[in-house]
Amino acid sequence: MTDLHTHAEDIVAQFSDHLDLDVDDVEERLDNLVNEYRVPVDEARRSVVNSYLDEADLDRDALGGGGGNAAVGLAEIDEDEQWIDVTAKVVELWEARSDSVAQVGLLGDETGTTKFVAFETSDLPELADGAVYRLENLVTDEYQGNFSVKLNRTTTITEVDEEIEVGDDAETVEGALVDIQSGSGLIKRCPEDDCTRVLQNGRCSEHGDVEGEFDLRIKGVLDDGDAVHEVIFDREATEALTGMTLDEAKDMAMDALDTTVVAEEMRADTLGRYYRVSGPQFGRYVLVDDFERLSDPIDAEAALIEARSI
Ligand SMILES: [Zn+2]
């Protein structure tokens, strides 16, 4: 019964600011549900926690977990440098682009997903792809309207035996591509650890003059007739949209001795066409995960004439 005992200890810790619970009592209540009534452990735990919430006259949110920080949905983070606790699933692990990063990827909870970063210096246990963890003492981070969470030296990581239905926070917008904004095409990013800011005339706003790394991006505007939507295609999406690879873009710029020819070529290929895109909303942008080219909207009058003729 070590398992139930651990759950009981967790619950006692969770309520330590509100109720003076006895581990053995809590374990007995869990044991009763699990072994007497054959209730699954997760459900038993939820039921016991709920009864203590009632007893303490608390909302689940007020509990904020054992870390004592705000319990914020991952997709609802809207503050920089906020300390939070979450229970989240490791949805994706990405390749770390710098030696100082131990792990980088995507965490998900019921509200949606957000990027996480763990640094080598924090010396934390590794998160496993697909596993669910209780993570306490995370710090939120904001960059250009994009929020992420950082694990740090004080972060506690506890694997939990529960399944999370990760919420879908993707937005879908469509319309004619009416503008490709400056900062699109062949760009250079800052190579500093965890920076990736886009360079302006070879300068990073944080790190000054640096040797940039080439990347492709399109910051576009879709107009659906009622509203405009700002969207960002990353390198992969830009290559798929334009059919131009990063290497081809570099060659083109090299031949012309000018990087702006790339965005010009992309404009010529895509402006005025109709697209439907979907992806997470960050700040005022939809970051394009998926897109499809739509046939141009049906000319209403022509459709009417055709309908009458049937
Ligand atoms: Zn930089």
Side-chain angles (χ1 to χ4, degrees), residues 1 4 30-39:
M1 283 299 102
L4 289 185
L30 289 169
D31 182 69
N32 188 41
L33 289 168
V34 172
N35 294 314
E36 211 51 46
Y37 293 99
R38 302 287 158 200
V39 174

Side-chain angles (χ1 to χ4, degrees), residues 190 192 195 204 206-207:
C190 177
E192 290 291 319
C195 180
C204 168
E206 179 84 14
H207 299 103

